């Protein structure tokens, strides 16, 4: 759990001056979260049509796009948006980020709703979530003086995504 395990461990590493340890703990935690989130998101996106048909019959096949967008949103949830700030005691940064995205996300939802209907509204929520999480990653990289590549497990993400896509593709055959 991010709240019960990662944040206290990050905090301890930062206080003790073990910066590389903190970076590696975050990388490991996001890799472990991605191990669950990426295959689930890929599977849900690729199986959206059969899932909708199984649960609701083909009368609701148009709703599969919402399931795919939900899968995309779920994909981004493996990035904790406040772990470094919490571990460092920067509550003001968390409040500022949440306040900004509490304003911008409804604007995105409204604008995209008007432009693209219900799918646009869902897309606005997904974009708002992704922007909040990635802004956190980029801000924390800047504040800590790190490259985002130094604390994000890109190789693991690619491996999980490829394995999930291949497995799901094989299952669809």
């Amino acid at each position: 759990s991010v709240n019960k395990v990662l944040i206290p461990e990050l905090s301890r590493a930062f206080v003790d001056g073990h910066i590389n340890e903190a970076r590696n703990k975050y990388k490991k935690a996001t890799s472990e979260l991605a191990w669950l989130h990426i295959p689930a998101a890929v599977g849900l996106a690729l199986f959206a049509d059969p899932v909708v048909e199984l649960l609701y019959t083909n009368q609701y096949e148009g709703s599969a796009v919402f399931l795919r967008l939900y899968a995309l949103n779920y994909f981004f949830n493996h990035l904790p948006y406040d772990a470094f700030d919490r571990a460092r005691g920067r509550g003001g940064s968390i409040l500022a980020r949440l306040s900004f995205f509490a304003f911008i996300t409804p604007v995105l939802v409204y604008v995209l709703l008007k432009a693209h209907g219900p799918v646009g509204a869902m897309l606005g929520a997904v974009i708002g979530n992704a922007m909040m999480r990635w802004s956190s990653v980029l801000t924390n990289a800047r504040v800590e003086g790190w490259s985002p590549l130094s604390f994000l497990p890109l190789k693991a993400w690619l491996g999980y995504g490829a394995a999930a896509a291949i497995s799901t593709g094989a299952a669809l055959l």
Side-chain angles (χ1 to χ4, degrees), residues 11-76:
S11 184
R12 195 171 308 113
F14 280 130
V15 167
D16 293 343
H18 301 143
I19 304 306
N20 284 334
E21 180 184 340
R23 185 175 19 218
N24 290 333
K25 285 182 180 296
Y26 183 87
K27 191 173 196 172
K28 182 177 186 273
T30 56
S31 178
E32 289 173 356
L33 286 169
W35 184 78
L36 296 171
H37 286 208
I38 290 175
V42 169
L44 191 56
L46 294 178
F47 282 117
D49 291 315
V51 166
V52 167
E53 186 175 340
L54 178 69
L55 294 175
Y56 306 112
T57 73
N58 62 359
Q59 184 177 359
Y60 295 96
E61 65 188 29
S63 65
V65 67
F66 292 99
L67 203 51
R68 285 189 184 90
L69 287 171
Y70 176 78
L72 182 60
N73 192 62
Y74 189 74
F75 166 79
F76 290 115

Side-chain angles (χ1 to χ4, degrees), residues 37 59 76 84 103 119 166:
H37 286 208
Q59 184 177 359
F76 290 115
F84 287 123
F103 170 77
V119 172
I166 291 168

